[in-house]
Amino acid sequence: MTPLFALLLPLLLLPLVSAQVPHWGPCPEPAVQPAFSMKKFMGRWFEIAKLPAQFEKGKCIETNFSMKADQTIRVVSSEILKGELRTIEGTGVTEDLKNPAKLGISYSYVLPYSPYWILSTDYENSALIYSCTDVLRLFHMDFAWILGRTRTLPAATVNKAREIFTSSNIDVSRMVASRQQGCD
């Protein structure tokens, strides 16, 4: 690959990922939740904050995880967009049985599983999620979410979550609060 092409590639792909910001180099490899329990993680999670994502434009975003008979995970995400409830169903898998906090999630039979790593969770209040995709190891695009079992979390919990991301070399300077008002 020519150096000029390597420099231009992120600019050519930018319109496709307008909400995401590419970062130079490969994805970081943050530590994930030790001794992760999928059973405890199952259930309803509300999006508290996120790195902006093109595929999330609405408010009241939440995801429900449930175990299927074949040991895959049913993932149902929803949002309210322009006054209409929209849902999408996907499938999650444990990508590495030795590291069960590293999931893969796909919302389409034709797309590969995307990384969905649980960096930290107490299972009862909050969870920190990270996803990253390398493009030719020249640059990466990442997503990060702070989730809660309720629609709001204390500011101290959110600030601590941001610190954990930052200490894992994940840039959350563009992280925004999710809109969870007027949902019920």
Side-chain angles (χ1 to χ4, degrees):
M1 176 178 309
T2 67
L4 179 60
F5 181 72
L7 289 173
L8 291 177
L9 185 61
L11 297 174
L12 295 171
L13 293 175
L14 196 56
L16 301 175
V17 292
S18 61
Q20 288 72 47
V21 174
H23 303 279
W24 290 109
C27 291
E29 289 281 337
V32 295
Q33 175 76 26
F36 178 71
S37 169
M38 184 66 68
K39 184 178 179 181
K40 289 181 184 179
F41 187 76
M42 294 290 107
R44 188 178 191 190
W45 289 95
F46 299 98
E47 184 182 272
I48 304 301
K50 64 182 172 190
L51 287 178
Q54 182 65 26
F55 53 86
E56 293 181 328
K57 295 181 181 178
K59 67 176 189 172
C60 307
I61 297 173
E62 62 182 79
T63 301
N64 198 324
F65 299 89
S66 57
M67 191 63 70
K68 294 165 49 173
D70 65 359
Q71 296 305 300
T72 61
I73 304 156
R74 180 176 183 241
V75 183
V76 180
S77 296
S78 64
E79 68 178 348
I80 296 174
L81 183 63
K82 298 179 182 176
E84 181 181 324
L85 179 64
R86 297 177 183 227
T87 62
I88 186 169
E89 184 171 333
T91 300
V93 296
T94 301
E95 293 191 320
D96 178 358
L97 294 177
K98 294 178 185 173
N99 214 338
K102 289 186 176 183
L103 305 178
I105 293 181
S106 179
Y107 287 98
S108 168
Y109 292 108
V110 296
L111 295 176
Y113 288 95
S114 295
Y116 193 89
W117 294 5
I118 296 92
L119 303 189
S120 177
T121 185
D122 63 3
Y123 303 103
E124 296 174 8
N125 298 297
S126 64
L128 280 62
I129 311 299
Y130 182 64
S131 180
C132 187
T133 302
D134 280 326
V135 178
L136 304 174
R137 298 195 55 80
L138 294 174
F139 67 97
H140 66 275
M141 288 171 284
D142 53 5
F143 306 91
W145 297 271
I146 300 171
L147 305 180
R149 290 291 191 185
T150 58
R151 291 195 186 275
T152 60
L153 287 175
T157 302
V158 173
N159 291 337
K160 178 66 176 166
R162 291 173 67 95
E163 289 173 13
I164 292 170
F165 282 125
T166 300
S167 69
S168 298
N169 295 318
I170 298 166
D171 179 7
V172 291
S173 61
R174 295 183 64 247
M175 185 168 268
V176 297
S178 299
R179 295 175 294 151
Q180 290 288 349
Q181 298 82 23
C183 300
D184 296 321

